[in-house]
Amino acid sequence: MSGGVEERPGLHGERTLLAWIRTAATLAAGGLGAAGVAGRELGHGGAAVPFILAALCGAILLARTGVRYHRVDRALRQGLPLDARADALLAWLGVLAVAAGALAFVLTS
């Protein structure tokens, strides 16, 4: 701190926040859209399950963005290491669910 003004570490936290929001919104909206298409095209709800899982992962990530932003901002201010393992695992689970759903959709259509 210099002169009573709190120094900011730059826009790293804001860029990280926006990247996570984009990832979460893409998983949520894409998962719901793909679930609708799979359900209509194949005529049964079983094909939509992986896409619904991806949408759920996206929704959870989206709900956690505020908490994650404050943790990243605090870590950057204090020089602590960033830890996003749980969120990264959730994002990967959503992406793998989309891939599994797409493979199942292609094989059954």
Side-chain angles (χ1 to χ4, degrees):
M1 291 196 177
S2 63
V5 177
E6 185 177 338
E7 292 184 23
R8 302 251 331 151
L11 296 176
H12 305 299
E14 285 79 5
R15 285 196 307 259
T16 301
L17 172 70
L18 292 173
W20 278 107
I21 288 174
R22 280 191 310 269
T23 301
T26 301
L27 276 174
L32 286 177
V37 170
R40 276 192 312 272
E41 292 296 319
L42 298 178
H44 58 85
V49 171
F51 297 120
I52 293 171
L53 177 63
L56 181 62
C57 289
I60 292 169
L61 284 173
L62 200 54
R64 290 178 43 87
T65 55
V67 172
R68 185 183 317 102
Y69 170 74
H70 291 295
R71 278 188 302 156
V72 167
D73 191 54
R74 184 175 55 248
L76 288 171
R77 288 176 192 272
Q78 297 174 355
L80 300 172
L82 302 177
D83 183 22
R85 286 179 285 185
D87 295 324
L89 182 62
L90 196 57
W92 270 110
L93 178 62
V95 170
L96 291 175
V98 168
L103 180 64
F105 181 76
V106 168
L107 293 176
T108 58
S109 62

